[in-house]
Amino acid sequence: MKTMVKVFAALVLSIFAASVHAVPVSDAKGALFALSDGKGVVTLLWVPAPGAWPSAWQVSDETGRVLLPRIARGDAQAKAALAKLDEKSRASVQGFEAAMAKAATADAKLQGYLAAASRVLVDPDYAQAMGLAVTLAGVAAGAHRYTVTALDAAGATKLASAPVDAVKATPLPPTPQELSAKSVIEGAALSWQAPAVSRESPVYAHTIEEVHGSTSRIAADRMLSNTIRNAKRPDFIDRGAPREMQAEYRVYAIGIGGRRSLPAKVTLFVEDIAALVPPSGVHADAAAGVVTVAWPAATNPHTKGAVVERTQVVEGQWQALTMKAVNGTTYRDETAQAGGTYYYRVRFMGPRGDLGAGSAAVSARAVGTAAPAAVAGLAAEPGRTRITLHWNPSATPVAGYRVERALGGADWVAMAGALTREPRFDDDFPGGTDGVTVRYRVAAVAFDEQQGAFASVEATLPDILPPPVPRIMAAEAVPGKVTLTVSASGTRNTDRLLLLRAGDAVQQGLVLGEPRVLPATVDAAVVDDFATAGSTFWYRVVAVDAAGNRSEVSPAVMVRVPLAAIATAPVPKVRFDAQPLPHVTVSYPAPARNLRTVVQWRAGDASAPWYILAGPVTAAGDAVQVNVPHGVALAYRLVWVDAAANEGEPSAAATLPPLTP
């Protein structure tokens, strides 16, 4: 719809930009055209700008003399013109104001005005029926100007014409140039060169007449000129063109008032290209000794039959199977070799023996009559990560062998893609298995896909898969001892653990003691009874299964082994001072030997977190807090820590009441 509005808008606005009646577009209220037949008859036709069109007009000449006091829809001349229109056009005129009032959007209303304006330009009967045209007879010779004035409440709309001489005919629009025609699948495509913009005789539409034999018809009546042209597309496609016969096309340029140019003519033999359109729904079905190709019947009366083509390579050379066109809808190909895959397509033939494009290719595999014998001598040789199958070659030529596998009680699964051509198959298990038993079955397949009976065998692979990497879930340290918890969910197929300990994060560490036996379903506790107090260690574990396979080393967990119990620190002394700026001073004594003091504080109730204010420090001193929070209770405490950052019990809290600003 937006494109249509653009076309209408470009057409109507060209009135103001490309005709002798042009006025500045920014001030345009419409345009008045005065056309002479050269015999004393002047036709006045006007187009108001889009908006609420006045319902009546007055016509005067350049002297101000009123020639016609009132022109409106519904007067005698308008009624006579209305009677000449078809039923749809009459309804359009009579319901115009109501339709504009009901327009849902501004775009819809604009489209309505522009559509009416474009019709007014090229259809004199429609223009008179709309009260926007009048014919003046018996006009004296000489150049005269005319004015139409709207008889609305404001009376502000006045449109003036250019001078016109009643005895000098207004030039006809220019004849379309370089008219050409060609047959297309839809019918006949016409193209012509758009004329140069003429200020004297602008072209707003075209009428196209088609003549064949003694028959003439209007293929397009006053078709609006498309101001948005596309050089790659024809100007008009006649979908009703007579097929398989010669036709003459006459194209008339239509100017203001529906005045026709002299025709441009072109002759074309309209070929029925649609008769060559290939069929859809082609299919090929193979049975013993024959492939049947079928397609839907042609519906075009000019289609004279079908030609069937075959190839074994879709992108290769196609071979015609029929020397003459097939009149039916099937073809039996009895020359296809059993087991071969063939592609077929169908081409329709036109009335002159010309062939259209091929249909979409369909395929079928030719079928023979006998299946091969069952495979003999099937055996399986298991290795660490591969099972090798071998069997006796088939006594008759075959396309290959179908190998299928089943793990445990699972369904059979085809192996080796489609078929293996050699009487041997290697089944690889990258990374090995945990001792799985595998069943196989093998059958010979002929070129036509007929399959012989299966032969079966089974084999068991050794268990070489490492167990999953275990996970250390928790660690607890007391002086001289570390206890690690290993998750049972990470020890599937594992019955032992190796504990590794290192003195830094880089080294993997050494194995401590003998492998630890694991319970089957609960988390395992692994103990290091030789953890030196005050030291830091990195622990890892390795899982070992019953076959001796080892897992990867688990991620390291760092554990600090504490020293002996750390004493509880004393309660600090706190005081608040407002000068020189508000601050809290926390005084603390020297810590016990080999320990350090950490000063902590909290704002709020007992659920609030503790924050470090100072420390760790090794001597007595004061910690000063500035930016003291107001309006909440404040608490301060001391914690003694050792060299390994192990903490003792915190002291009781020293408190301050909420401070006010």
Side-chain angles (χ1 to χ4, degrees):
M1 181 175 290
K2 289 184 177 179
T3 300
M4 184 64 72
V5 170
K6 289 180 180 179
V7 172
F8 286 156
L11 178 65
V12 176
L13 289 177
S14 66
I15 295 171
F16 311 125
S19 75
V20 294
H21 311 277
V23 295
V25 174
S26 60
D27 299 329
K29 296 181 180 179
L32 170 62
F33 300 89
L35 308 172
S36 170
D37 68 351
K39 300 176 182 179
V41 177
V42 173
T43 299
L44 301 181
L45 179 151
W46 56 97
V47 179
W53 284 359
S55 60
W57 301 80
Q58 184 181 89
V59 180
S60 57
D61 61 16
E62 69 271 23
T63 67
R65 181 168 59 96
V66 175
L67 302 179
L68 294 171
R70 181 179 177 84
I71 300 295
R73 290 195 295 274
D75 62 18
Q77 192 178 64
K79 288 181 179 180
L82 184 67
K84 298 178 184 179
L85 300 177
D86 58 37
E87 183 177 351
K88 183 177 179 180
S89 297
R90 288 197 299 271
S92 171
V93 172
Q94 293 167 338
F96 178 74
E97 295 297 340
M100 293 301 96
K102 292 180 180 179
T105 65
D107 272 355
K109 182 171 292 188
L110 177 61
Q111 180 188 3
Y113 280 118
L114 294 178
S118 63
R119 181 77 179 273
V120 166
L121 286 173
V122 297
D123 189 340
D125 291 334
Y126 184 87
Q128 287 192 4
M130 287 289 288
L132 297 175
V134 67
T135 300
L136 304 176
V139 179
H144 298 283
R145 295 178 181 269
Y146 298 90
T147 301
V148 293
T149 304
L151 298 179
D152 54 11
T157 302
K158 288 187 178 183
L159 305 176
S161 76
V164 63
D165 192 333
V167 297
K168 293 182 180 179
T170 302
L172 294 175
T175 300
Q177 300 297 309
E178 300 183 26
L179 175 62
S180 63
K182 67 177 181 178
S183 298
V184 294
I185 193 169
E186 299 92 341
L190 305 182
S191 299
W192 57 84
Q193 183 67 40
V197 176
S198 169
R199 294 174 60 83
E200 292 291 335
S201 300
V203 175
Y204 295 112
H206 291 85
T207 291
I208 301 170
E209 180 183 10
E210 179 269 318
V211 180
H212 61 277
S214 60
T215 303
S216 173
R217 68 183 178 90
I218 299 299
D221 187 19
R222 286 171 287 201
M223 178 182 70
L224 294 179
S225 297
N226 190 353
T227 58
I228 307 174
R229 297 176 63 89
N230 186 335
K232 296 182 179 180
R233 296 182 181 177
D235 293 286
F236 175 71
I237 294 179
D238 182 12
R239 289 174 169 79
R243 304 306 201 271
E244 293 301 321
M245 63 177 60
Q246 186 162 295
E248 180 182 83
Y249 283 94
R250 303 168 184 173
V251 180
Y252 302 87
I254 307 299
I256 299 169
R259 300 165 71 249
R260 284 186 177 187
S261 70
L262 295 175
K265 299 179 181 180
V266 67
T267 300
L268 171 71
F269 182 86
V270 185
E271 300 177 18
D272 191 355
I273 298 177
L276 305 179
V277 174
S280 58
V282 178
H283 59 92
D285 300 304
V290 65
V291 176
T292 301
V293 182
W295 58 92
T299 58
N300 191 302
H302 296 125
T303 300
K304 299 306 179 183
V307 171
V308 180
E309 296 179 336
R310 183 184 76 183
T311 184
Q312 286 191 283
V313 181
V314 177
E315 311 245 343
Q317 187 72 30
W318 289 87
Q319 172 192 4
L321 298 178
T322 54
M323 298 304 294
K324 296 181 179 180
V326 178
N327 292 324
T329 59
T330 60
Y331 176 79
R332 289 170 56 86
D333 180 14
E334 298 178 354
T335 64
Q337 297 296 316
T341 297
Y342 295 88
Y343 298 89
Y344 297 88
R345 70 182 185 184
V346 178
R347 301 172 69 183
F348 278 162
M349 181 179 289
R352 289 168 301 284
D354 47 336
L355 292 176
S359 67
V362 295
S363 66
R365 181 179 290 242
V367 178
T369 57
V375 167
L378 177 61
E381 298 178 358
R384 283 178 56 82
T385 61
R386 171 184 293 176
I387 296 176
T388 299
L389 304 179
H390 54 82
W391 56 90
N392 298 334
S394 174
T396 59
V398 293
Y401 302 90
R402 178 166 287 118
V403 180
E404 295 184 354
R405 181 182 75 185
L407 298 175
D411 294 335
W412 292 99
V413 177
M415 306 295 292
L419 299 175
T420 179
R421 294 187 177 276
E422 299 297 325
R424 171 192 175 93
F425 178 72
D426 290 325
D427 191 9
D428 291 319
F429 294 81
T433 73
D434 55 358
V436 67
T437 296
V438 188
R439 294 180 295 140
Y440 296 93
R441 64 183 186 183
V442 181
V445 180
F447 286 101
D448 59 0
E449 293 193 350
Q450 294 192 72
Q451 179 177 302
F454 278 112
S456 301
V457 71
E458 68 176 38
T460 301
L461 286 167
D463 179 4
I464 63 171
L465 290 182
V469 178
R471 292 179 299 157
I472 300 175
M473 304 301 294
E476 181 180 355
V478 296
K481 179 179 179 180
V482 173
T483 301
L484 305 173
T485 301
V486 180
S487 172
S489 62
T491 59
R492 179 177 57 84
N493 300 330
T494 301
D495 62 358
R496 290 166 293 167
L497 279 179
L498 301 179
L499 177 63
L500 286 72
R501 189 181 73 184
D504 56 51
V506 177
Q507 301 299 319
Q508 183 171 287
L510 300 176
V511 176
L512 296 181
E514 296 296 324
R516 320 298 173 95
V517 178
L518 291 179
T521 59
V522 297
D523 292 345
V526 181
V527 179
D528 176 11
D529 290 319
F530 302 97
T532 306
S535 299
T536 299
F537 297 107
W538 281 260
Y539 291 94
R540 299 172 176 86
V541 289
V542 175
V544 183
D545 64 14
N549 300 308
R550 293 189 178 190
S551 73
E552 296 291 330
V553 178
S554 73
V557 173
M558 184 186 72
V559 179
R560 292 187 178 90
V561 183
L563 296 171
I566 300 173
T568 301
V571 179
K573 295 180 180 180
V574 298
R575 73 173 186 276
F576 172 76
D577 295 303
Q579 298 297 328
L581 75 166
H583 65 278
V584 173
T585 301
V586 182
S587 300
Y588 49 87
R593 184 180 179 184
N594 296 327
L595 298 179
R596 292 177 293 176
T597 301
V598 175
V599 181
Q600 298 179 342
W601 73 284
R602 180 182 69 197
D605 57 23
S607 63
W610 289 92
Y611 299 98
I612 295 177
L613 178 61
V617 295
T618 58
D622 295 327
V624 178
Q625 180 185 29
V626 296
N627 298 322
V628 182
H630 291 76
V632 293
L634 301 175
Y636 301 86
R637 70 182 186 185
L638 304 180
V639 178
W640 284 346
V641 298
D642 62 15
N646 298 299
E647 297 181 355
E649 290 295 324
S651 70
T655 62
L656 288 175
L659 304 177
T660 58

